[in-house]
Amino acid sequence: MSACVRIRHDHTAHSSPPSRASGIKRPHSPPPPRRFRIAGADLSASITVFLIAVPMSLGLAVAMDAPLEAGLISAAIGGIVAGLLGGTPLQVSGPSAGLTVVTAELIQIYGWRTTCAITIGAGLLQILLGSLRAARGALAVSPAIVHGTLAGIGVAIALAQLHIVLGSSPRSSAAANALALPEQLGRLSPAAPLIGALTMAVLVVWPRLPGRIGRAVRRLPAALASVAIATAVAAVAAPGIARVDLPSWRSHALPELPQGPVLALATAVFTVLLVASLESLLAAVAVDKLTADRAAGRTADSASPVPVTPAAPPVRRSDLDRELRGQGIANVLSGLLGGLPVSGGAVRSSANVRAGATSRAATVLHGVWVLLAAGLLVTALEWIPLAALAALVMVVGFQMVNYAHIRNVHRHREFLVYGATITGVVLFGVLEGVAIGIAVAVAVALHRLARTRITVTDQGGQHLVVVRGQLTFLAVPRLSRALGQLPRGGDAVVELDGFFMDHAAYETIQDWSDAQTAQGGRIVFTGRSGGRIAEPASAAHSCCRPWTPWRNHHCHDQPGRPVDARRTTAAFAPGESFTVDQGPTGSVGAEADTRVTEAADATAGPTGRLDTPGDGAAVPRRTGAHRLASGLSSFQRNTAPLVRDELARLAREGQRPSQLFITCADSRLVTSMITASGPGDLFTVRNVGNLVPPPGAEAGDDSVGAAIEYAVDVLKVESITVCGHSGCGAMQALMSTKPDTPRTSLWRWLRHGLPSLERMTSRHHAWARISGRLPADEVEQLCLTNVVQQLDHLRAHESVARRLAEGALQLHGMYFHVGEAQAYLLAEGASAGSGVDEVFDRVGPCDPNHSRPYDITDLSDPTGLTELGDPGDHAAVSTPTTAAGPADPPGSGELERTSA
């Protein structure tokens, strides 16, 4: 609803509406009142989340030693209240896993009724902070501290619930739980541990059940399935085991005025506020990522030559301040009604997105189902063994210790902060652990800022100055002393190995460089790898820099910005130009001369998005003709002077490309960008679907064959690469081909991809795979298989077969994932046609020769939040091969293979 209200002082204007004959347009009618609509996808998603939320809520209540009905109350309030009022439509709120340890300690110290009052106080503070728009500031906490806190809480949860699984009760702290484990193991009773082990086994195995039966039963959430199976087994095999005991609602305890030291109570309120807010806001950001990934997976590129399935309705990004206010209101109501603290739930939210929810209706309905279950299913819930709920919560605790987070913080050299936070949370508590993590983070930052090493080496007439670390004002005296030792007017190379330089250090280096240059010296600045850091003076104050137009290739389109000589970008970026090159015979399909188009590619930008001016207004796109003319003018003015000498050399010597590169005409693929090549390096063939028609195909398809013959026999290329990519529209068209498809030009071309489709569905060929994971869906599987099949077509060409037999030519298969900006190379044996496994290996950033990529086993969640998934979602899977061919890959419900 609009917040703008029209105010008129001339009341006579309202006396009678203007007539149509007067020429005055009638004002638009007010929009109809918004209704709470429920889509079918939201209804099914709400049921899925409800089936997860009930056992999870009861399990968290058991873990906190709180009244079990309190878990159901907080789940219902979190779904209905936070779902209606929160700023993240698809986030599902409920009992907080992150607050398990904190709430259990508060209940033990102050009792249940005072804990409810503390929850109310934390909710009021959340409302206040949300009204002050402080939510975004909470995300400024170091990720190492946040993930370390969650991991420490996960360890504490797992240790506490392990005692319940073993048939005992948890102790007051994580350290006490760890010390008491030997004694507990010495007096073990078998019933509870066996039920707990059964629950965990089902949690792990359920998402990986193979075959059609597995695909059918996996629609039931693993959490519900594990608890249901454990309950059924316990009813038969262990009737005397401890079970859920839901007391009468008449005896439910409500909050009372808090009693205790004021400072201790204030600390408790602040702790609940901190953990609940951080958990909710981080989950909201993660839900945005999951929603964006889901939309990207269903949306076709506008340049795609074939229609695809319509995208899911767009979902707005989270309003974090509104989300914080909604969580605060939910906590106030939960505390007033005797419920647990509420926060955004990682497991529930992820299940909601994956189940296809499109609006907040799914979240609200889930809360309604929980409320109905609390009143109607009490008898059924009381059959659940406590050991099963404890095992479920223990697995959640294990998932909060995320290996992907550990790897990331180690890569960014923040593992010390992460480890200190975990240790502090486990040994002393949440608030103390966060304080320890912040103190260690500050100490590490100060150490890095103060640690700067400067060395000067004489290399025979030229000096090498190496600066290791960050350049701040603290290092300026040493830097000035080192630079002052160099002879005036001499040549020097300054190697800067750091990511920060403050103004004082910059001015020191700049003044010294200007003085040396004025006296005839030559100063070159490089990074650690030796790459030169420099740019023409004309670009020093421009919004774009030569050769680096990726983020600003539209900066000269901004309203009010004059067109001047400092613009340095081309008009087209990846995703903006759908390219079909012309072959040596004059037919469509191949690039006849690599010297100019690759130079143009080198100046394109990767985002395909429009920059926006400072006021946030969108920049209108230029028309095609204006964009082309502007881009050519920009090239002539800025880029052409930089490449003129190189192109002049190539014009004299002729083109001598070393590679033939066959790829798709998709506008998002910039060959020079993904191969780091320049003018004259690649002889490029681009067509719809990166297809290589086999020799002897029907007339009219000679363009690709002519380009191959010209590249192999005339240009003597040393290698040929067939490159496919993710989200290929041609492969989607092949998947949807029907017998009554019109025989258009596009269909007549795509028929050369039918062998790839047959290869994928045949049991006589191995599945093409990406190392470390299975293909995401059938389209990605076909994209990979198509690369392998086109290599087979390529070997059938006479010129290629001859050069292969001579050992003068190599073939390569390549797959480029557009969304991840990640290249994969087909294993050498499969590229040569002699390998059995068709595996595409990930090309790491530190492997220039690619003998083997350094990192091809990354099985982490791409969102970086493994705890968002159901238990066991991220374990490695492999594809076994049987005598009849490769078996169905476990857990690949989307990839169903049929007989050829």
Side-chain angles (χ1 to χ4, degrees):
M1 182 179 292
S2 173
C4 299
V5 180
R6 183 177 58 180
I7 300 176
R8 298 190 59 168
H9 299 285
D10 184 9
H11 298 282
T12 60
H14 296 281
S15 59
S16 61
S19 64
R20 293 184 180 272
S22 64
I24 302 176
K25 294 184 178 180
R26 295 171 180 266
H28 294 291
S29 300
R34 298 179 63 182
R35 297 179 179 177
F36 190 77
R37 298 181 178 179
I38 301 175
D42 291 330
L43 181 61
S44 62
S46 70
I47 296 175
T48 300
V49 179
F50 158 72
L51 295 177
I52 296 175
V54 169
M56 189 70 66
S57 302
L58 292 174
L60 291 175
V62 171
M64 299 177 189
D65 197 21
L68 297 185
E69 65 272 17
L72 299 176
I73 291 174
S74 58
I77 291 177
I80 298 174
V81 177
L84 285 174
L85 305 179
T88 310
L90 301 187
Q91 175 162 278
V92 183
S93 300
S96 171
L99 281 170
T100 302
V101 178
V102 176
T103 307
E105 184 178 0
L106 293 178
I107 294 174
Q108 186 176 11
I109 296 175
Y110 301 107
W112 169 242
R113 301 182 67 182
T114 299
T115 301
C116 292
I118 292 173
T119 301
I120 296 173
L124 293 175
L125 286 181
Q126 284 182 313
I127 297 173
L128 176 61
L129 292 178
S131 302
L132 295 176
R133 300 185 178 276
R136 185 68 61 177
L139 300 181
V141 181
S142 169
I145 297 175
V146 174
H147 297 314
T149 302
L150 294 176
I153 292 172
V155 171
I157 290 174
L159 288 174
Q161 298 311 294
L162 181 58
H163 282 274
I164 299 179
V165 171
L166 296 177
S168 179
S169 300
R171 304 302 190 269
S172 59
S173 65
N177 284 321
L179 294 175
L181 276 178
E183 178 186 354
Q184 178 63 33
L185 293 174
R187 49 186 179 85
L188 195 63
S189 59
L194 290 177
I195 293 299
L198 175 62
T199 304
M200 289 186 283
V202 175
L203 281 171
V204 174
V205 174
W206 192 263
R208 296 173 180 80
L209 293 176
R212 294 184 178 180
I213 297 178
R215 285 193 295 273
V217 300
R218 282 201 304 270
R219 296 178 181 177
L220 190 68
L224 178 66
S226 62
V227 173
I229 293 174
T231 301
V233 172
V236 176
I241 195 173
R243 303 178 188 275
V244 169
D245 182 16
L246 287 173
S248 172
W249 287 102
R250 297 178 181 177
S251 62
H252 181 64
L254 297 177
E256 66 178 3
L257 291 177
Q259 298 178 0
V262 176
L263 182 60
L265 290 173
T267 303
V269 171
F270 180 76
T271 303
V272 173
L273 165 72
L274 175 66
V275 178
S277 301
L278 282 177
E279 189 175 15
S280 298
L281 296 177
L282 288 175
V285 173
V287 168
D288 281 345
K289 293 180 181 178
L290 290 175
T291 307
D293 290 343
R294 183 183 68 178
R298 296 186 183 181
T299 305
D301 183 74
S302 57
S304 176
V306 293
V308 296
T309 305
V315 179
R316 294 181 180 178
R317 293 186 62 84
S318 298
D319 182 344
L320 297 183
D321 293 306
R322 178 180 174 182
E323 178 64 29
L324 191 58
R325 292 194 298 271
Q327 295 290 335
I329 296 173
N331 271 312
V332 170
L333 291 178
S334 181
L336 287 173
L337 297 178
L340 298 173
V342 172
S343 72
V347 175
R348 296 179 292 264
S349 300
S350 136
N352 194 36
V353 175
R354 292 173 180 172
T358 60
S359 70
R360 62 179 75 244
T363 303
V364 176
L365 283 176
H366 130 270
V368 173
W369 307 143
V370 172
L371 194 60
L372 293 176
L376 303 178
L377 300 179
V378 173
T379 303
L381 295 177
E382 289 183 339
W383 281 92
I384 301 176
L386 292 180
L389 296 178
L392 175 64
V393 177
M394 188 168 68
V395 171
V396 173
F398 284 137
Q399 287 185 327
M400 294 173 73
V401 185
N402 190 339
Y403 177 71
H405 295 159
I406 296 175
R407 187 174 59 251
N408 287 334
V409 297
H410 185 269
R411 183 183 306 160
H412 293 287
R413 298 185 299 173
E414 292 186 327
F415 186 78
L416 180 61
V417 179
Y418 182 84
T421 306
I422 290 180
T423 305
V425 170
V426 172
L427 295 181
F428 305 108
V430 174
L431 196 60
E432 294 83 354
V434 172
I436 292 173
I438 293 175
V440 174
V442 171
V444 169
L446 292 176
H447 174 73
R448 289 175 179 173
L449 286 175
R451 185 184 178 187
T452 305
R453 292 176 295 174
I454 304 172
T455 59
V456 179
T457 306
D458 188 354
Q459 296 182 334
Q462 186 182 59
H463 289 79
L464 174 64
V465 181
V466 179
V467 181
R468 296 278 187 267
Q470 316 319 315
L471 278 174
T472 66
F473 65 94
L474 298 174
V476 167
R478 283 179 292 154
L479 179 63
S480 300
R481 183 165 55 252
L483 296 179
Q485 297 174 359
L486 302 180
R488 296 185 178 182
D491 297 341
V493 175
V494 181
E495 181 180 312
L496 302 175
D497 177 21
F499 55 84
F500 177 77
M501 178 189 302
D502 69 3
H503 189 68
Y506 172 81
E507 282 195 344
T508 301
I509 293 180
Q510 187 64 43
D511 293 343
W512 170 81
S513 176
D514 292 342
Q516 291 289 91
T517 304
Q519 297 179 16
R522 182 173 179 269
I523 308 300
V524 176
F525 294 93
T526 70
R528 186 171 189 177
S529 61
R532 187 170 178 176
I533 304 175
E535 63 181 38
S538 62
H541 302 285
S542 65
C543 67
C544 304
R545 295 179 295 173
W547 309 104
T548 59
W550 300 108
R551 290 177 299 173
N552 300 314
H553 65 276
H554 287 291
C555 67
H556 50 281
D557 294 338
Q558 295 183 11
R561 188 183 295 278
V563 178
D564 56 34
R566 295 178 298 191
R567 292 185 336 204
T568 60
T569 60
F572 295 108
E576 296 181 336
S577 176
F578 186 73
T579 306
V580 180
D581 301 319
Q582 186 175 9
T585 62
S587 57
V588 172
E591 173 187 343
D593 194 329
T594 63
R595 293 168 289 178
V596 177
T597 57
E598 292 300 335
D601 281 346
T603 63
T607 60
R609 297 192 302 266
L610 284 171
D611 285 350
T612 55
D615 60 358
V619 180
R621 283 185 175 271
R622 296 172 294 171
T623 61
H626 178 65
R627 175 178 291 278
L628 175 63
S630 177
L632 293 174
S633 175
S634 179
F635 169 79
Q636 294 300 142
R637 178 173 55 253
N638 303 297
T639 307
L642 302 176
V643 299
R644 185 169 288 117
D645 292 342
E646 178 67 11
L647 293 180
R649 182 186 65 80
L650 291 173
R652 292 191 304 269
E653 299 176 358
Q655 65 166 330
R656 298 176 183 176
S658 60
Q659 304 177 58
L660 169 60
F661 200 82
I662 303 175
T663 189
C664 186
D666 193 289
S667 60
R668 298 166 294 183
L669 289 182
V670 181
T671 55
S672 63
M673 177 183 71
I674 63 178
T675 61
S677 56
D681 290 340
L682 297 182
F683 187 75
T684 307
V685 174
R686 303 187 68 153
N687 60 56
V688 175
N690 49 274
L691 301 178
V692 180
E698 299 177 21
D701 293 330
D702 293 334
S703 173
V704 177
I708 294 171
E709 182 179 342
Y710 184 77
V712 173
D713 292 339
V714 179
L715 298 178
K716 305 294 183 183
V717 296
E718 300 171 358
S719 68
I720 303 178
T721 300
V722 177
C723 176
H725 67 94
S726 61
C728 182
M731 300 301 104
Q732 297 178 37
L734 284 175
M735 296 292 299
S736 59
T737 300
K738 298 179 180 179
D740 58 347
T741 301
R743 298 307 191 252
T744 62
S745 298
L746 178 59
W747 179 89
R748 286 192 293 274
W749 170 254
L750 289 180
R751 74 188 187 281
H752 299 300
L754 292 178
S756 301
L757 186 60
E758 296 172 358
R759 184 189 189 106
M760 186 185 79
T761 57
S762 172
R763 290 190 176 272
H764 301 291
H765 293 280
W767 284 84
R769 306 191 304 278
I770 294 182
S771 182
R773 70 171 177 86
L774 289 170
D777 50 29
E778 290 180 305
V779 175
E780 185 171 55
Q781 176 64 60
L782 184 56
C783 291
L784 299 172
T785 302
N786 182 59
V787 172
V788 180
Q789 182 64 36
Q790 300 313 312
L791 287 174
D792 286 351
H793 290 177
L794 196 58
R795 296 186 194 95
H797 284 259
E798 179 183 355
S799 56
V800 174
R802 183 177 64 255
R803 291 285 301 280
L804 287 174
E806 296 172 355
L809 184 66
Q810 292 182 341
L811 303 185
H812 302 290
M814 175 180 166
Y815 176 75
F816 185 75
H817 195 291
V818 178
E820 297 175 357
Q822 178 61 57
Y824 298 84
L825 280 180
L826 184 61
E828 293 183 6
S831 295
S834 60
V836 177
D837 292 332
E838 297 167 0
V839 179
F840 288 77
D841 288 337
R842 181 179 184 271
V843 180
C846 301
D847 190 12
N849 297 322
H850 193 72
S851 56
R852 287 290 292 175
Y854 286 131
D855 184 13
I856 62 174
T857 58
D858 185 0
L859 304 179
S860 63
D861 184 6
T863 67
L865 290 172
T866 301
E867 69 268 13
L868 287 180
D870 289 334
D873 273 353
H874 305 283
V877 293
S878 59
T879 306
T881 302
T882 63
D888 287 343
S892 58
E894 299 83 355
L895 301 177
E896 181 177 356
R897 169 166 282 188
T898 58
S899 300

